[in-house]
Amino acid sequence: MARSIEGLSKGEKSRRLIIEKAAVLFNQKGYEGCSMQDVVKVVGLEKGTIYGHFESKEQLALEAFDFAWSETRKRRFAKLDTVANAIDKLKLHIRNFIIIPDFPGGCPLLNTAIDVDDGSSPLKREAKKAFRGWRDYLVGILHAGQEAKEVRMSVDPRKVATLIISMLEGASAMQELDRQSNALADAEEHLVFYLESVVRYRK
């Protein structure tokens, strides 16, 4: 767990500042769309200072993505531990996705997946790791729900998790293209119906 800003040394605070500001920049403009000079302008530190903390633009981008995704996860998984039933956890997760403001620039996972063409690049691999972590978290909720007889044994947790992620991210992209679209609300309506009618266990 990251230490609070008060407990950091001057050098650590400087490093944290660079990561936080670069995370917003990379997420808004893309890895290829911004230079280290852009980072210098946003952060307000000399290039030499930045390179004193990071070996390369790629290393900074990786840590910036990790920060952006960590913040995104916190928002999307907020208060899930206060809900007992697996289906209700998933419904709260969907609601969080829709109503809690996203990280500046949108979903870091979706942005990185679109921005980085090279599937073998470290940044693309980090995005894949983030996706798998998100999917596995939802799969864990569904498996626990099956054990507690809250989720039907006939459903495949991995397929359900993938469907939820795909619909939410797809709807988010559509709404970004058309601000007047109700894509996210429509996705929530269909996902809730699916969870209640197909996934929830009923005696």
Side-chain angles (χ1 to χ4, degrees):
M1 182 179 293
R3 291 153 59 191
S4 66
I5 193 73
E6 293 79 8
L8 300 178
S9 68
K10 183 177 179 180
E12 289 172 327
K13 287 179 181 178
S14 178
R15 195 174 197 280
R16 173 81 70 85
L17 172 70
I18 295 168
I19 290 172
E20 291 181 2
K21 289 187 176 292
V24 174
L25 181 65
F26 282 126
N27 200 47
Q28 291 177 330
K29 298 185 68 175
Y31 177 75
E32 299 293 343
C34 65
S35 65
M36 284 303 286
Q37 190 57 42
D38 293 325
V39 176
V40 168
K41 290 178 182 177
V42 168
V43 173
L45 297 173
E46 296 294 330
K47 187 178 290 188
T49 301
I50 295 175
Y51 277 115
H53 291 286
F54 305 94
E55 294 179 358
S56 63
K57 175 186 170 184
E58 183 175 76
Q59 184 195 357
L60 174 56
L62 285 168
E63 297 201 38
F65 172 80
D66 286 344
F67 172 78
W69 181 241
S70 175
E71 291 298 303
T72 299
R73 281 178 56 92
K74 288 177 188 176
R75 301 173 193 203
R76 293 180 180 177
F77 298 152
K79 298 184 179 180
L80 261 64
D81 58 348
T82 67
V83 179
N85 186 279
I87 299 298
D88 295 333
K89 279 182 187 287
L90 295 174
K91 287 165 64 177
L92 177 57
H93 173 56
I94 294 165
R95 185 99 280 258
N96 285 343
F97 186 103
I98 293 171
I99 68 170
I100 298 178
D102 221 334
F103 192 81
C107 176
L109 178 58
L110 183 61
N111 289 345
T112 301
I114 294 171
D115 181 52
V116 183
D117 293 330
D118 183 3
S120 64
S121 74
L123 194 53
K124 193 79 165 192
R125 289 199 299 269
E126 199 67 15
K128 288 180 181 178
K129 179 181 174 183
F131 162 71
R132 289 172 184 144
W134 181 9
R135 182 191 60 200
D136 291 348
Y137 185 85
L138 300 185
V139 167
I141 292 174
L142 287 154
H143 275 309
Q146 287 179 326
E147 292 177 2
K149 292 188 176 180
E150 298 164 351
V151 172
R152 292 180 182 178
M153 294 300 296
S154 59
V155 303
D156 183 335
R158 185 184 177 93
K159 290 181 180 179
V160 174
T162 301
L163 176 65
I164 291 172
I165 293 171
S166 299
M167 284 195 70
L168 289 175
E169 289 288 17
S172 180
M174 289 179 64
Q175 197 148 308
E176 187 65 27
L177 288 171
D178 181 3
R179 295 290 184 175
Q180 296 182 339
S181 167
N182 292 317
L184 279 169
D186 292 343
E188 180 181 26
E189 180 181 342
H190 285 288
L191 283 172
V192 168
F193 176 78
Y194 171 71
L195 290 173
E196 290 292 352
S197 62
V198 177
V199 182
R200 187 187 288 275
Y201 175 82
R202 298 187 187 280
K203 295 181 180 179

